[in-house]
Amino acid sequence: QLKLVESGGGLVQPGGSLRLSCAYSGFSLDHFQIGWFRQAPGKAREGFGCFLSSSGHTKYADSVKGRFTISRDNAQNTVYLQMNNLKPEDTAVYYCAAELPLLSDGGFVCDYRLPFDNWGQGTQVTVSS
């Protein structure tokens, strides 16, 4: 059974930082990609980043590029999302998800624009003064 649990959300002032954790079990990052998604109030769920450990491939949306970074801790079966220079528009419920990687011309890659089948429960991030 694939399982993912997000944690680390909270209330942060604009310009501040948070590190979210995605603890996973039931699969290996050698065979799955991790996607990060968020859903703001009144808006659709938005994918903004992904990570594929087997190839080292990462992908970020322009809205978070340069501010958000995905990494992993092999010893703890945890993927991290470091969020810096947070803005009020970053306020949302944040989710991690797992899916098989995408095979492209250059090899396996991640892509948060594809459907993901395995989801965590989400963690609330609020950016406000």
Side-chain angles (χ1 to χ4, degrees):
Q1 183 78 29
L2 278 66
K3 183 180 180 181
L4 305 98
V5 179
E6 302 94 338
S7 62
L11 176 63
V12 185
Q13 292 184 336
S17 299
L18 275 178
R19 189 180 72 167
L20 304 184
S21 298
C22 175
Y24 64 90
S25 61
F27 66 95
S28 170
L29 290 189
D30 292 337
H31 306 121
F32 284 81
Q33 61 172 309
I34 295 293
W36 282 95
F37 303 80
R38 62 186 182 182
Q39 187 167 22
K43 297 184 178 180
R45 183 176 291 177
E46 170 197 22
F48 62 84
C50 64
F51 172 73
L52 181 59
S53 178
S54 60
S55 66
H57 182 250
T58 58
K59 184 177 182 178
Y60 300 96
D62 289 340
S63 59
V64 307
K65 192 175 300 181
R67 300 189 299 123
F68 292 8
T69 304
I70 304 170
S71 62
R72 69 176 295 188
D73 185 334
N74 292 330
Q76 297 182 356
N77 282 359
T78 302
V79 174
Y80 298 103
L81 175 67
Q82 179 67 43
M83 304 186 295
N84 298 325
N85 192 24
L86 285 163
K87 306 175 181 179
E89 51 263 43
D90 294 320
T91 296
V93 177
Y94 282 71
Y95 301 87
C96 61
E99 187 52 89
L100 294 173
L102 176 68
L103 181 61
S104 70
D105 292 339
F108 287 102
V109 299
C110 70
D111 194 340
Y112 53 79
R113 300 171 298 178
L114 298 176
F116 280 67
D117 293 330
N118 309 285
W119 294 84
Q121 84 291 340
T123 184
Q124 176 72 48
V125 173
T126 303
V127 185
S128 178
S129 299

